[in-house]
Amino acid sequence: MSARALNDDDGGHPRVLVSTRTSGAPTTPLDVPALAALARETLVAEGQQRSELSLSFVDEDEIADLYRRYMDEDGPTDVLSFPLDDDVDEHGVRVLGDVVVCPAVAVRNAPRDPGTELRLLVVHGVLHLLGYDHEGDDERAEMWARQERYSGVTVP
């Protein structure tokens, strides 16, 4: 397990705390610094300069357990977001919550280009922390447009 903060922590940039908890051989090269930077860039674009989130990369067993416990769904999924309710730390930084990504599922989703899929999943998770959703058509259109803008990935 590794955990580290990847940020431009001068008080005016978002902080992304990263944890990698995948077991066995990596299923895809995981460019953690680039994915953390993407999460940070998404936060800046959304006006969240003084914010923090955790970004975890986990194996299928861990994400399946989380999916079952918190969403009452079976099997592994690709990304989960766990928002906090406007929690602000002692330095005035908004602590947004946790984004949990499963690289093995990303590989199955997009075997030809798992790196692009990981970019999409990170942005998707961050947008959920910021309150975006895709239940209704209008909500989905807005979230997908932002997701495409920040990740560079088009979703049909």
Side-chain angles (χ1 to χ4, degrees):
M1 178 194 336
S2 75
R4 60 184 171 226
L6 295 170
N7 60 30
D8 300 321
D9 193 15
D10 66 1
H13 296 280
R15 189 173 14 208
V16 176
L17 307 172
V18 176
S19 176
T20 304
R21 299 187 304 274
T22 54
S23 58
T27 54
T28 185
L30 195 56
D31 189 346
V32 172
L35 293 168
L38 177 61
R40 206 169 32 257
E41 291 162 10
T42 301
L43 292 171
V44 169
E46 287 289 315
Q48 298 295 320
Q49 285 79 356
R50 295 192 51 76
S51 63
E52 174 182 298
L53 63 80
S54 75
L55 177 59
S56 298
F57 299 98
V58 302
D59 61 24
E60 290 184 69
D61 289 339
E62 184 172 346
I63 205 157
D65 179 56
L66 292 169
Y67 201 35
R68 188 173 23 268
R69 277 196 289 165
Y70 295 101
M71 304 299 287
D72 202 25
E73 297 283 345
D74 286 326
T77 190
D78 47 14
V79 63
L80 292 169
S81 296
F82 299 97
L84 295 175
D85 294 325
D86 291 322
D87 194 14
V88 178
D89 74 8
E90 67 275 8
H91 304 291
V93 174
R94 183 176 175 213
V95 181
L96 299 169
D98 306 307
V99 174
V100 182
V101 177
C102 183
V105 176
V107 168
R108 276 202 306 280
N109 289 351
R112 290 184 174 183
D113 192 359
T116 295
E117 182 72 4
L118 286 165
R119 289 178 57 80
L120 178 68
L121 296 175
V122 166
V123 171
H124 188 88
V126 171
L127 290 174
H128 273 306
L129 289 185
L130 295 175
Y132 293 97
D133 210 337
H134 45 85
E135 294 301 313
D137 290 341
D138 291 343
E139 291 173 320
R140 182 173 195 240
E142 181 179 2
M143 186 172 178
W144 262 228
R146 289 173 187 276
Q147 192 171 262
E148 182 176 337
R149 183 179 327 135
Y150 304 142
S151 71
V153 180
T154 301
V155 177

